Structures are given as structure tokens and as C-alpha cells.
Amino acid sequence: MNRPDQPDPAPALQFIIHRATEDHCSYAEVICSIIEESARQRGTGIAKRDPEYIKAKMREGKAVIALSDDGRFAGFCYIETWEDRKYVANSGLIVSPEFRKMHLAKRIKEAAFNLSREKYPDAKMFGITTSAAVLKINNELGYRPAHFSELTTDDA
């Protein structure tokens, strides 16, 4: 119990993870800029996304978005498929810098994994990452390491 001369501690920030929809398209620009900045900081140039592509994933119901309880963008991940939905990956996982180190990435990745299983129950799932943190999350979620030759042969 707090003493009368001390304020109550601030309530913990809460996050809500939604299946992204048309209503979330206003976040596409910020998502793309955070993905690009994160890739630049890691020294990888492979993560640039186009806002229209992100919006399409939202409209198709192939993405999840995390928002703080006060409505700020917190994180995002989308689903990509190949070979007529035989293969599926969760891609573009990002957490806004102000919300990192709060275990939000794992919650987002888990929501994207569950969405993938719901939409594509028979697909083989995989993840490709340049992030050690995401590799750890993938391992915790049950992904196993695979050689590139075991993945889709789709040119896309």
C-alpha cells in the first residue's frame, strides 16, 4: 500500500493485438518507416516495404497489428503465401522502438502464427529473418531450423 504522500504508481501499459483491417490502413506509412529504419540499423537492406503493399495485406485479412491501450501504433506482422498456399510465412514483424523490450514481438508473432494456421491449416510454415531476437521467438514458438532447399521453389 502506498503512503498518503506518494502518488499511485502509473498503470502498466496494455496492448491489444487485432487482425488488421481497412480501418488500420492509416498506420501503413509508420509501419513502413519503422521497418526501413530497423533494417538500416541492423545493416540489412532487404526489409523496405511499400505502404500500398501493407494496406493490401490489411484489407485481405493477412496481418495483425498491435496498438497500445491509448491508441498508439505498437507493432505489426503480415502473412505471405507461396505455391498456391502450400507455404506460408509471417513476415514484416516490427515493434515500435518505444515499445521494445516489453515482450510484445512474441505476442505479435504468436498472433500471426495463429492467424496463419486459421487461414492456411495445411500449409507448411516458415520464417526468414535477419534478427537474432526473431530467431529466438521462432524457436520458442516451435519453428525448427531448415535449409533453404527445404522451402518453396516458387520464384516469387
Side-chain angles (χ1 to χ4, degrees), residues 40 47-49 52 63 75-76 100 105 111 114 118 127 132 135 142 144:
R40 189 187 63 72
K48 188 170 172 83
R49 304 293 194 283
E52 291 306 314
F76 180 77
R100 291 181 183 157
N114 291 337
E118 177 187 319
L135 191 61
R144 65 168 179 79

Side-chain angles (χ1 to χ4, degrees), residues 12-120:
L13 194 59
Q14 299 293 313
F15 299 99
I16 303 162
I17 300 174
H18 307 269
R19 181 181 299 196
T21 67
E22 175 81 29
D23 295 340
H24 299 107
C25 286
S26 61
Y27 294 100
E29 295 281 344
V30 73
I31 290 167
C32 290
S33 72
I34 293 171
I35 289 173
E36 185 173 3
E37 178 60 21
S38 180
R40 189 187 63 72
Q41 289 174 354
R42 287 191 326 269
T44 62
I46 62 172
K48 188 170 172 83
R49 304 293 194 283
D50 181 275
E52 291 306 314
Y53 182 78
I54 297 298
K55 289 176 187 178
K57 291 295 181 182
M58 292 176 176
R59 290 181 186 116
E60 294 166 1
K62 295 181 179 177
V64 296
I65 189 167
L67 303 174
S68 65
D69 53 6
D70 61 0
R72 290 178 287 163
F73 170 77
F76 180 77
C77 190
Y78 66 88
I79 297 170
E80 191 65 71
T81 61
W82 292 272
E83 288 186 33
D84 196 28
R85 297 177 239 164
K86 290 180 187 171
Y87 294 88
V88 63
N90 303 134
S91 194
L93 175 64
I94 194 70
V95 174
S96 182
E98 68 185 298
F99 300 123
R100 291 181 183 157
K101 309 277 189 224
M102 301 173 107
H103 307 287
L104 185 55
K106 185 174 181 181
R107 290 182 53 209
I108 294 167
K109 183 81 171 186
E110 191 168 27
F113 179 92
N114 291 337
L115 178 60
S116 297
R117 274 290 162 241
E118 177 187 319
K119 291 181 79 68
Y120 310 104

